[in-house]
Amino acid sequence: IQFGAIAAIIPICWSQFGLMLRGVLGRDPRGLRLLRNLAIAFVPSAGLGLLIHDWIDENLYSIGAVVFGLIGGSLLMFLAQGWGSTNAREQAYRTEMSALGALGVGIAQCFAMWPGTSRPMMTIVGGYFAGLPPGPAAGFSFLLGFATLTAATLYKTARSGELILQVFGWQNVLLGIVVAGVTASLSVRFFVKLLLEKGLAPFAWYRIGL
């Protein structure tokens, strides 16, 4: 059903896809830099995920681990919010980051493998620390999420897709994809609006309450 959530990201990232295509065609150097940054940020979690995926499933899915991820992530969000406020003037007009900043976002995404941590949260926090304002940080997070989740979902589908269809039936799987797509589309728009208006703090308090 993750394919539904992935599909919901496509309209949000459409302009960035176009920018990268123009970069590949030699028409826009910004698009080529964006594609470079996306590749740099994708590699760490892709490599580490293949190495420790099974270990995470076997050892980290517990209530204590999830609580630790929720609270620890909240504290990191407050820290990033303070960092962004302190450097707001420098961040205000930035729309892209360096290759080193992209690597930092990619490393941050690796920590999202810890249950309860949240992949969007870690990559947006990484974008804050890389010097991006909230809007571009969220945009790069969604773009990286499209690449990462597509790769992970294709991998899991290849491993378990046939078994899933046998157990649940294609009708239920298709229904799950549609529902995931609709709810992801609605929640992402709400998420972006709240992030731009209030920053990370509301999400950090929500995680603490949860």
Side-chain angles (χ1 to χ4, degrees):
I1 65 172
Q2 190 73 273
F3 282 120
I6 292 168
I9 299 175
I10 294 176
I12 297 170
C13 297
W14 191 252
S15 62
Q16 293 169 300
F17 292 139
L19 181 63
M20 289 189 292
L21 178 60
R22 292 196 298 274
V24 170
L25 296 176
R27 298 177 182 174
D28 196 328
R30 295 176 305 154
L32 205 54
R33 290 194 297 270
L34 178 59
L35 182 60
R36 174 206 66 187
N37 287 347
L38 181 62
I40 291 172
F42 172 77
V43 168
S45 62
L48 188 62
L50 287 173
L51 290 174
I52 66 172
H53 171 268
D54 291 337
W55 183 87
I56 290 173
D57 284 347
E58 293 169 5
N59 295 279
L60 291 185
Y61 278 91
S62 67
I63 294 175
V66 172
V67 168
F68 179 84
L70 287 169
I71 300 299
S74 297
L75 298 178
L76 188 60
M77 292 169 86
F78 284 127
L79 183 63
Q81 182 78 32
W83 173 277
S85 299
T86 302
N87 298 276
R89 184 173 296 179
E90 298 177 12
Q91 291 180 331
Y93 301 104
R94 293 192 64 178
T95 57
E96 57 182 295
M97 63 182 129
S98 65
L100 186 61
L103 178 61
V105 174
I107 293 172
Q109 183 172 239
C110 291
F111 288 96
M113 297 178 195
W114 187 285
T117 305
S118 167
R119 193 211 62 80
M121 180 271 290
M122 288 304 304
T123 50
I124 290 175
V125 164
Y128 268 59
F129 286 125
L132 293 180
F140 188 77
S141 171
F142 290 133
L143 189 63
L144 180 58
F146 177 84
T148 303
L149 295 177
T150 298
T153 305
L154 288 172
Y155 174 72
K156 287 196 172 186
T157 300
R159 289 187 62 182
S160 309
E162 185 177 354
L163 177 61
I164 290 171
L165 289 176
Q166 289 176 3
V167 173
F168 296 104
W170 68 267
Q171 298 95 333
N172 289 327
V173 172
L174 183 61
L175 177 61
I177 290 173
V178 171
V179 172
V182 172
T183 55
S185 181
L186 294 174
S187 61
V188 162
R189 281 163 175 74
F190 169 77
F191 171 87
V192 172
K193 184 174 185 293
L194 186 58
L195 177 69
L196 295 178
E197 292 179 356
K198 304 293 184 180
L200 291 169
F203 303 101
W205 285 117
Y206 158 76
R207 292 165 61 85
I208 291 172
L210 181 62

